[in-house]
Amino acid sequence: MNQDLKRRANDNSLNLKKNKKKRRIEKTLPPKIESLIPESKLYTQLHEFEKKMDATIMRKRLDIQEAMSKPIKTKKTLRIFVSNTTSEQNKNIMNINDISLDNISTPSWILKIEGKLLDNSPGKKNMIIDKKFSSFVKRVIVELDRDQTLYPEGNIIEWNKEHGTPEIDGFEIKRTGDTDVNARILIEMDYAPHKYKLSEDLSKLLNIKLDTKTNIIMALWQYIKYHKLQDSDDKRIINNDEELKKIFKVNQITFPQMPELINYHLLPPDPIVIDYKIKVGERQIDEAEYAYDVEVEVDDSIRNRISSVVSVLQENTKEYMDMDEKISKIIQAINNCKLKRDFMMSFVNDPVTFINQWVASQARDYEVILGESHINKEESRHSEFFKKPWIKEAIFHYLNAKTHEKYNELVNQQQH
């Protein structure tokens, strides 16, 4: 009995391993366990609820992945402040005895270019967002209108963004001088993704001045579909109308040619130009005199919150897997216990049938071990064995084989 119990337990273990390959973690209780353990009904209900939750989480996870794969942009206002401060301008020395090398200083001024990103969402009242000004700027050029012979340090100051440098809120340019200076400030924006200025003809056709290459191609495709310019025989060919002929200089183009042909009509974006007069004098300016608002696109804050949620879920994945593994081991132990109980209860309910089945099972195991494939001797000892439907057919074939064998023997005797 112990051998049979062990064999069934091993069979069950093998089945569990097979199921584990198909389904990594098994958390389903064996059937009819509620009659033995009434509390298991609560676990079954929780398991069903968990499956619904897993399905919902999986759908949400797919939605999040789709949302993360697409750039979500929102328009904000970048406010650029331009101001200047001065020092040591028109300083009067009343007493000649006060003149010394220590108190002689050179008049100078500082030009400040700063920027703040404002949140102009409804109800936010232009709140300042913690994102640096230089993150939106690729290059800043300041051209000063001064006499080159008096100021040999140069009248053109240029700043270029370099990868890996920390972001800053603004720029300061300090120069010597005691007269007003006209300054021309050129700010090239750093668009992400990159944007292009359209040529005059293409801009007039699509009613777009500045956009990404993808959006420009999509707008051109919408124009082609609206005017039904695709060839009726080959949809890859576009029959240009007068406007497209003026732009592309050919009668027909194909879809693979479109991105390359559009490149000739894409120009670098125009920089933001600010004309500012640096004023010197006794008055010290603490706040910006002028402000310029520029519309920019930034990643939606919802995307950042989604990223934080995804990171938290990834951190807790190992903990969830460990808990599922523990539940799976407990379920496997319950399955084994139920198999043992069923084995014992079958003996208690009908000992005779149980012993007969057990002996027959042992005999089959011995045949497998010995490599035998004939009829089980233990089963043939019972009269029910000869009442099975295949017995008559087996007897017919047996007698037929014996008759054929006897006939061959007679033929052989006559020949000799």
Side-chain angles (χ1 to χ4, degrees):
M1 186 178 296
N2 291 334
Q3 279 187 339
D4 190 62
L5 180 61
K6 186 176 180 180
R7 182 182 60 80
R8 293 194 181 187
N10 290 334
D11 291 342
N12 180 61
S13 178
L14 291 173
N15 290 333
L16 287 175
K17 288 181 180 178
K18 291 179 181 178
N19 292 335
K20 191 174 182 180
K21 290 181 181 178
K22 296 179 181 178
R23 184 178 178 183
R24 190 178 59 84
I25 293 178
E26 179 62 43
K27 296 190 292 183
T28 305
L29 284 172
K32 299 181 181 179
I33 197 69
E34 292 183 10
S35 60
L36 305 175
I37 309 174
E39 293 83 359
S40 63
K41 184 177 181 180
L42 178 60
Y43 172 82
T44 304
Q45 293 174 351
L46 290 174
H47 183 56
E48 293 297 326
F49 179 75
E50 183 188 20
K51 288 195 290 187
K52 293 180 181 179
M53 287 291 295
D54 289 342
T56 303
I57 291 173
M58 181 57 67
R59 288 197 302 269
K60 293 299 181 183
R61 184 173 294 177
L62 294 175
D63 292 341
I64 290 174
Q65 290 177 355
E66 184 179 0
M68 293 293 289
S69 63
K70 298 178 181 179
I72 304 174
K73 298 290 184 178
T74 181
K75 292 183 179 180
K76 303 292 182 184
T77 299
L78 177 65
R79 183 159 293 173
I80 302 174
F81 303 93
V82 181
S83 62
N84 73 278
T85 59
T86 60
S87 63
E88 305 298 335
Q89 300 290 335
N90 300 326
K91 185 175 181 181
N92 296 322
I93 301 176
M94 302 300 296
N95 191 345
I96 194 171
N97 295 324
D98 295 336
I99 300 176
S100 65
L101 293 177
D102 296 333
N103 59 16
I104 295 177
S105 58
T106 305
S108 62
W109 48 262
I110 297 176
L111 176 64
K112 296 182 178 181
I113 306 169
E114 301 168 303
K116 297 291 183 183
L117 184 65
L118 306 181
D119 190 353
N120 50 5
S121 301
K124 296 297 183 67
K125 295 183 179 180
N126 288 343
M127 294 178 60
I128 296 177
I129 303 175
D130 187 17
K131 193 171 178 66
K132 303 296 185 180
F133 171 55
S134 61
S135 62
F136 300 97
V137 178
K138 181 169 62 177
R139 179 185 300 171
V140 177
I141 300 175
V142 178
E143 299 175 355
L144 302 176
D145 185 11
R146 300 189 304 172
D147 189 350
Q148 188 75 27
T149 58
L150 296 177
Y151 304 100
E153 64 267 25
N155 291 334
I156 298 178
I157 303 97
E158 183 174 347
W159 175 89
N160 293 282
K161 178 185 285 188
E162 295 181 1
H163 181 71
T165 56
E167 304 293 347
I168 54 178
D169 285 325
F171 310 92
E172 289 187 356
I173 300 172
K174 184 176 181 180
R175 291 290 184 270
T176 59
D178 56 359
T179 58
D180 295 347
V181 179
N182 292 323
R184 190 167 183 260
I185 303 169
L186 307 176
I187 302 175
E188 294 184 11
M189 304 300 293
D190 187 13
Y191 297 104
H194 191 69
K195 292 186 177 182
Y196 299 89
K197 176 187 174 183
L198 280 68
S199 64
E200 184 177 354
D201 293 335
L202 187 59
S203 176
K204 184 178 179 181
L205 178 70
L206 302 179
N207 195 23
I208 298 174
K209 294 183 179 180
L210 186 72
D211 210 333
T212 62
K213 186 175 181 179
T214 302
N215 291 341
I216 294 170
I217 293 175
M218 288 298 297
L220 182 58
W221 168 235
Q222 294 296 329
Y223 176 86
I224 292 170
K225 287 201 302 181
Y226 180 79
H227 291 86
K228 300 179 181 179
L229 301 180
Q230 285 181 280
D231 191 81
S232 57
D233 297 329
D234 189 350
K235 297 296 183 181
R236 296 174 300 174
I237 298 176
I238 301 167
N239 298 314
N240 295 335
D241 59 3
E242 294 301 323
E243 297 294 334
L244 290 181
K245 288 179 183 178
K246 181 180 178 182
I247 295 172
F248 296 121
K249 312 299 182 184
V250 291
N251 294 328
Q252 289 182 336
I253 61 173
T254 61
F255 276 108
Q257 293 176 322
M258 190 182 298
E260 184 180 355
L261 293 173
I262 285 180
N263 286 336
Y264 296 102
H265 299 272
L266 301 182
L267 307 172
D270 293 333
I272 298 171
V273 180
I274 300 175
D275 292 321
Y276 178 77
K277 187 172 186 179
I278 302 171
K279 298 179 181 179
V280 299
E282 292 294 338
R283 185 170 61 91
Q284 193 82 3
I285 302 175
D286 296 329
E287 296 182 357
E289 257 186 320
Y290 301 96
Y292 306 86
D293 287 346
V294 180
E295 188 177 73
V296 295
E297 291 183 347
V298 298
D299 291 334
D300 198 340
S301 58
I302 296 178
R303 185 186 181 92
N304 298 329
R305 291 198 294 269
I306 291 175
S307 301
S308 62
V309 171
V310 170
S311 62
V312 171
L313 289 176
Q314 291 175 349
E315 292 175 359
N316 296 333
T317 300
K318 187 178 183 302
E319 182 180 355
Y320 299 150
M321 291 179 65
D322 292 340
M323 293 177 65
D324 286 343
E325 195 68 33
K326 291 178 181 179
I327 293 173
S328 178
K329 290 180 179 179
I330 294 172
I331 297 299
Q332 184 177 351
I334 293 174
N335 280 323
N336 292 336
C337 291
K338 186 176 183 300
L339 284 174
K340 294 177 182 179
R341 182 188 181 281
D342 292 342
F343 184 81
M344 297 300 181
M345 288 301 297
S346 61
F347 174 75
V348 172
N349 295 331
D350 191 355
V352 176
T353 304
F354 173 82
I355 293 297
N356 291 334
Q357 291 177 352
W358 179 72
V359 172
S361 174
Q362 292 295 313
R364 284 194 298 269
D365 291 343
Y366 291 145
E367 287 184 3
V368 172
I369 294 172
L370 297 175
E372 298 178 2
S373 59
H374 53 77
I375 298 172
N376 187 277
K377 294 180 180 180
E378 181 61 30
E379 292 181 350
S380 63
R381 291 175 58 249
H382 302 278
S383 61
E384 290 81 3
F385 174 80
F386 297 97
K387 297 179 182 179
K388 294 183 179 180
W390 58 271
I391 291 295
K392 291 182 180 181
E393 184 178 356
I395 293 173
F396 171 78
H397 288 293
Y398 175 76
L399 295 176
N400 189 26
K402 286 295 183 181
T403 303
H404 186 69
E405 184 180 346
K406 189 67 175 176
Y407 175 78
N408 290 334
E409 290 179 359
L410 294 173
V411 170
N412 292 331
Q413 289 177 0
Q414 291 177 1
Q415 290 178 352
H416 292 293

